[in-house]
């Protein structure tokens, strides 16, 4: 399965599917602000992930950080939004794809942090998003790892 420019191998996909019959992908992505009336409000990458999931018969939901609803109830994890009825997710059958807009929302950042601590697989960890969101922090991280980088202000 293709996700953006990376590939989830059929082996990984099949491992995830056998644990609980069917896997689910939840994308946390910014709302498209300039979508013409009647067209989806999803950003390009989120739309592509949705398309690839549909081709592979994988359930996929796109949720916007600003309208996120998240609850833990008696060991169950429920996630949704004001547009999508909350549904149960488990670490065994759910992959979260976190886009850059997650760090712009304190609530969404807290949700991703809790999901990571609870064992959910998150593509783009919260720490990765935070480093990549700030040019100087990214520069420092690359420099720490000995990766040549151009000088920055």
């Amino acid at each position: 399965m293709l996700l953006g420019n990376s590939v989830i191998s059929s082996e990984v996909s099949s491992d995830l599917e056998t644990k609980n019959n069917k896997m689910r992908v939840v994308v946390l992505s910014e709302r498209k602000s300039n979508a013409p009336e009647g067209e989806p409000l999803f950003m390009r990458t989120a739309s592509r992930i949705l398309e690839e999931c549909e081709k592979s018969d994988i359930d996929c939901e796109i949720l916007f950080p600003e309208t996120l609803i998240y609850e833990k109830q008696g060991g169950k994890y429920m996630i949704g939004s004001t547009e999508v009825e909350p549904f149960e997710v488990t670490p065994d059958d759910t992959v979260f794809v976190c886009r850059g807009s997650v760090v712009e929302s304190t609530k969404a950042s807290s949700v991703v942090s809790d999901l990571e601590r609870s064992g959910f697989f998150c593509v783009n960890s919260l720490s990765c998003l935070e480093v990549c969101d700030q040019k100087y922090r990214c520069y420092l991280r690359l420099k720490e790892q000995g990766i040549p980088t151009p000088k920055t202000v």
Side-chain angles (χ1 to χ4, degrees):
M1 178 174 82
L2 177 68
L3 290 179
N5 291 331
S6 59
V7 174
I8 292 182
S9 72
S10 58
E11 187 177 296
V12 171
S13 178
S14 117
D15 283 350
L16 287 168
E17 287 179 21
T18 56
K19 286 185 181 177
N20 202 356
N21 292 340
K22 187 135 171 110
M23 70 180 272
R24 167 182 275 150
V25 174
V26 178
V27 182
L28 302 178
S29 178
E30 181 178 9
R31 182 187 306 267
K32 193 176 193 179
S33 61
N34 59 349
E37 181 121 4
E39 288 195 20
L41 298 173
F42 311 138
M43 300 298 279
R44 186 172 191 274
T45 301
S47 294
R48 287 287 298 128
I49 292 169
L50 180 62
E51 287 173 24
E52 293 302 323
C53 285
E54 287 172 350
K55 287 180 191 176
S56 300
D57 193 32
I58 296 172
D59 291 337
C60 181
E61 290 291 344
I62 300 175
L63 303 175
F64 304 123
E66 69 272 12
T67 61
L68 203 56
I69 297 170
Y70 175 71
E71 293 181 48
K72 286 196 299 190
Q73 304 170 341
K76 290 185 177 183
Y77 299 88
M78 303 293 290
I79 194 158
S81 70
T82 55
E83 297 93 359
V84 176
E85 185 76 26
F87 52 91
E88 185 177 356
V89 293
T90 70
D92 291 334
D93 67 4
T94 308
V95 173
F96 283 87
V97 179
C98 307
R99 306 294 296 149
S101 58
V102 165
V103 295
E104 296 169 11
S105 163
T106 303
K107 181 178 183 178
S109 293
S110 297
V111 167
V112 171
S113 177
D114 190 63
L115 291 168
E116 289 175 340
R117 283 193 314 276
S118 300
F120 283 87
F121 183 77
C122 296
V123 177
N124 296 327
S125 67
L126 186 57
S127 64
C128 172
L129 291 170
E130 289 170 342
V131 167
C132 292
D133 187 53
Q134 295 180 9
K135 183 179 178 180
Y136 188 67
R137 284 180 70 183
C138 186
Y139 165 77
L140 291 175
R141 179 67 61 92
L142 293 171
K143 191 173 176 182
E144 283 174 6
Q145 300 301 315
I147 299 171
T149 60
K151 290 184 180 181
T152 187
V153 179

